[in-house]
């Protein structure tokens, strides 16, 4: 599917936006052709520029469409002793978002006052050609009013998690330190290669909000890469990001400061693979 030409997607005037094919693609949203379907399903024809923007998105987000059945429900795994087959463990962005929304609905009201998250496609779209729109969407989230902001990242066919901490605090604070955490379950891919894009992303967020902080101070906000458990299965990265979010929400301190014992709870005993496997089955059962 990812090799189809953009003109093939839009040239079929006889294909109604209400067709079953377009309905399925528009819900998927994990790569350029499915994003194209989502736009095609709008009650208007897209412009040539919009089509070109989507074509450029082809290289920034992976497609998992063919990895999952679309009509048959997958069998649920009920035994804790049974390992889920490798091919069943990969998440697309639609599955990821559905589980994250469910997790959020079940948070306590107290937790909901400290945490928020961004859509898992926004960072990839920001790196593409829709930067202005992404910054407009983020502005509506009022992220400077939250202690912790989760930014799922899908890049180079791999999931990782950026956590923005205390952005609304004084950049020189010692008690509620503004900082960024990058959690990656596959460190061999060199998480720091994302740093230039992350720093441009953060600076643009400050600018779009009209914040008074100087660029020099913003550029010094620490980007930390804690040692976190590494995946044993190369399809697990999306589920690891959900698990990291779940654990962070449960264990994050009231006041996060890198001057007071960082990385706090993100040590070896915060995680075990038996717990991860149970979480993995829960996610995939929910998404099946």
């Amino acid at each position: 599917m990812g090799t189809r030409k953009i003109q093939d997607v839009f040239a079929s005037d006889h294909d109604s936006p209400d067709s079953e094919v377009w309905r399925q693609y528009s819900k998927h949203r994990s790569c350029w052709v499915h994003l194209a379907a989502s736009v095609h399903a709008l009650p208007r024809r897209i412009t040539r520029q919009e089509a070109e923007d989507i074509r450029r998105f082809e290289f920034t987000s992976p497609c998992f469409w063919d990895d999952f059945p679309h009509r048959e429900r997958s069998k649920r795994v009920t035994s804790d002793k049974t390992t889920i087959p490798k091919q069943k463990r990969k998440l697309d962005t639609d599955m990821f978002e559905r589980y994250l929304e469910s997790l959020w609905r079940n948070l306590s009201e107290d937790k909901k006052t400290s945490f928020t998250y961004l859509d898992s496609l926004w960072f990839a779209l920001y790196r593409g050609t829709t930067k202005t729109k992404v910054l407009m969407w983020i502005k509506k989230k009022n992220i400077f009013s939250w202690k912790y902001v989760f930014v799922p990242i899908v890049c180079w066919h791999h999931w990782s998690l950026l956590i923005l901490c205390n952005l609304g605090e004084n950049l020189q604070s010692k008690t509620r330190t503004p900082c960024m955490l990058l959690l990656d379950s596959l460190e061999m891919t060199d998480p720091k290669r994302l740093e230039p894009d992350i720093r441009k992303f953060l600076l643009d967020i400050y600018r779009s909000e009209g914040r008074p902080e100087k660029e020099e101070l913003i550029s010094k906000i620490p980007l930390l890469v804690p040692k976190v458990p590494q995946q044993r299965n190369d399809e697990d990265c999306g589920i690891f990001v959900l698990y990291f979010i779940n654990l962070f929400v449960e264990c994050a301190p009231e006041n996060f400061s890198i001057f007071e014992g960082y990385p706090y709870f993100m040590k070896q005993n915060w995680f075990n693979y038996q717990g991860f496997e149970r979480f993995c089955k829960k996610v995939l059962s929910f998404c099946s």
Side-chain angles (χ1 to χ4, degrees), residues 8 81 90 138 184 204 222 228 263 274:
D8 293 337
K81 297 181 180 180
K90 186 185 290 185
I138 292 174
D184 195 322
D204 281 343
V228 294
Q274 292 76 20

Side-chain angles (χ1 to χ4, degrees), residues 14-256:
H14 60 277
D15 285 342
S16 167
D18 295 325
S19 71
E20 178 62 23
V21 172
W22 287 113
R23 278 199 297 270
Q24 289 189 54
Y25 285 174
S26 65
K27 292 177 181 178
H28 179 54
R29 305 185 327 128
S30 78
C31 74
W32 71 276
V33 74
H34 301 114
L35 183 65
S38 180
V39 176
H40 182 84
L42 294 173
R44 63 174 176 81
R45 294 185 64 84
I46 72 166
T47 65
R48 183 180 297 275
Q49 182 60 50
E50 286 174 323
E52 180 63 20
D53 287 347
I54 293 168
R55 186 191 65 78
R56 291 173 183 166
F57 182 64
E58 174 181 359
F59 301 105
T60 66
S61 188
C63 176
F64 301 128
W65 178 259
D66 293 327
D67 295 312
F68 294 93
H70 307 301
R71 298 188 183 279
E72 297 180 1
R73 293 175 65 87
S74 60
K75 294 181 180 179
R76 297 189 178 188
V77 178
T78 57
S79 172
D80 285 341
K81 297 181 180 180
T82 303
T83 301
I84 299 172
K86 174 179 176 180
Q87 66 271 20
K88 300 282 188 182
R89 303 171 73 110
K90 186 185 290 185
L91 292 187
D92 62 32
T93 52
D94 180 58
M95 295 168 66
F96 183 96
E97 291 289 337
R98 284 196 289 128
Y99 190 83
L100 187 53
E101 288 170 5
S102 173
L103 187 156
W104 229 255
R105 283 195 299 270
N106 291 307
L107 287 184
S108 68
E109 291 303 315
D110 181 56
K111 293 288 188 182
K112 288 179 180 178
T113 63
S114 297
F115 300 90
T116 192
Y117 66 93
L118 304 187
D119 188 290
S120 58
L121 284 180
W122 287 2
F123 189 83
L125 288 169
Y126 169 85
R127 293 178 71 245
T129 59
T130 53
K131 180 182 298 186
T132 301
K133 287 186 178 180
V134 171
L135 292 171
M136 179 182 66
W137 298 333
I138 292 174
K139 189 173 182 178
K140 294 179 180 178
K141 297 283 286 187
N142 297 315
I143 66 172
F144 288 93
S145 65
W146 303 89
K147 289 181 181 177
Y148 303 107
V149 180
F150 297 116
V151 185
I153 292 176
V154 191
C155 190
W156 301 307
H157 298 262
H158 177 63
W159 290 82
S160 55
L161 176 65
L162 177 66
I163 308 175
L164 308 177
C165 307
N166 300 321
L167 287 192
E169 302 294 333
N170 187 306
L171 294 185
Q172 296 174 306
S173 170
K174 300 292 185 181
T175 56
R176 295 183 178 179
T177 318
C179 66
M180 299 179 284
L181 305 176
L182 183 58
L183 278 56
D184 195 322
S185 61
L186 196 62
E187 290 182 8
M188 61 184 294
T189 60
D190 184 19
K192 279 284 190 175
R193 64 180 176 162
L194 282 168
E195 182 167 7
D197 286 329
I198 288 173
R199 292 208 171 275
K200 285 190 288 186
F201 180 64
L202 186 66
L203 180 60
D204 281 343
I205 289 174
Y206 272 87
R207 285 173 171 169
S208 68
E209 295 269 358
R211 300 282 300 186
E213 290 85 354
K214 295 182 179 179
E215 182 174 337
E216 180 183 1
L217 286 177
I218 298 170
S219 68
K220 292 180 180 178
I221 293 176
L223 175 61
L224 308 169
V225 185
K227 292 290 183 182
V228 294
Q230 298 295 282
Q231 63 193 72
R232 297 172 176 175
N233 184 318
D234 58 7
E235 310 293 349
D236 281 351
C237 53
I239 301 176
F240 261 85
V241 167
L242 286 172
Y243 196 40
F244 288 153
I245 291 173
N246 186 64
L247 291 175
F248 197 94
V249 167
E250 290 180 357
C251 305
E254 181 70 19
N255 296 319
F256 192 99

